[in-house]
Amino acid sequence: QVQLVESGGGLVQAGGSLRLSCAMSGLTFNRATLGWFRQAPGKEREFVATDRWLGGGTSYADSVRGRFTISRDDMKNTVYLQMNSLKPEDTAVYYCAARSPSRIYSIATMSHDYDYWGQGTQVTVSS
């Protein structure tokens, strides 16, 4: 059974930083493309960042590029999202996601590109 457990959310002032973590089990982590998404109240879930395995590199949404960094630790089966220079518009529930290693190796920036999801962690940025 695949499990994804996020942590690290909270309340922070604008301009501050947070680091989200997502620990995974039940899948071949070092062969999984990983992603972060977020959903603000009344809005659809949106792509934030992705890290492709096999050194495939990272991609970011325009709204977070230069402020957020996705990284992975294959020894700990954990993916991180370092968020700096936070803005009130970054307020949302953040979800980590994993794409099954059995799927074709490709860019993954849509929700349907992923097979497994965490429960979400709230990030609130005050102005």
Side-chain angles (χ1 to χ4, degrees):
Q1 182 179 359
V2 178
Q3 289 190 318
L4 285 68
V5 180
E6 296 118 336
S7 60
L11 173 65
V12 64
Q13 287 188 333
S17 299
L18 281 175
R19 189 177 81 155
L20 305 183
S21 301
C22 178
M24 301 186 183
S25 60
L27 80 167
T28 307
F29 184 85
N30 62 359
R31 293 175 61 86
T33 289
L34 309 170
W36 286 95
F37 288 74
R38 66 187 182 186
Q39 187 166 18
K43 295 187 177 181
E44 294 187 352
R45 187 174 301 186
E46 65 174 1
F47 166 75
V48 174
T50 184
D51 182 295
R52 286 204 295 172
W53 67 282
L54 202 64
T58 57
S59 298
Y60 297 91
D62 290 343
S63 59
V64 307
R65 187 176 295 112
R67 299 188 298 122
F68 291 11
T69 303
I70 186 173
S71 61
R72 62 195 296 162
D73 186 334
D74 287 349
M75 296 296 292
K76 296 183 178 179
N77 284 8
T78 300
V79 61
Y80 303 97
L81 185 69
Q82 177 66 45
M83 305 184 294
N84 298 329
S85 302
L86 282 161
K87 304 176 181 179
E89 51 263 44
D90 294 319
T91 295
V93 177
Y94 283 71
Y95 298 89
C96 63
R99 179 179 173 89
S100 171
S102 65
R103 295 180 69 177
I104 294 173
Y105 184 67
S106 69
I107 293 289
T109 61
M110 306 293 287
S111 294
H112 60 74
D113 291 327
Y114 293 85
D115 303 286
Y116 308 106
W117 293 84
Q119 81 286 355
T121 186
Q122 177 70 47
V123 172
T124 303
V125 185
S126 63
S127 56

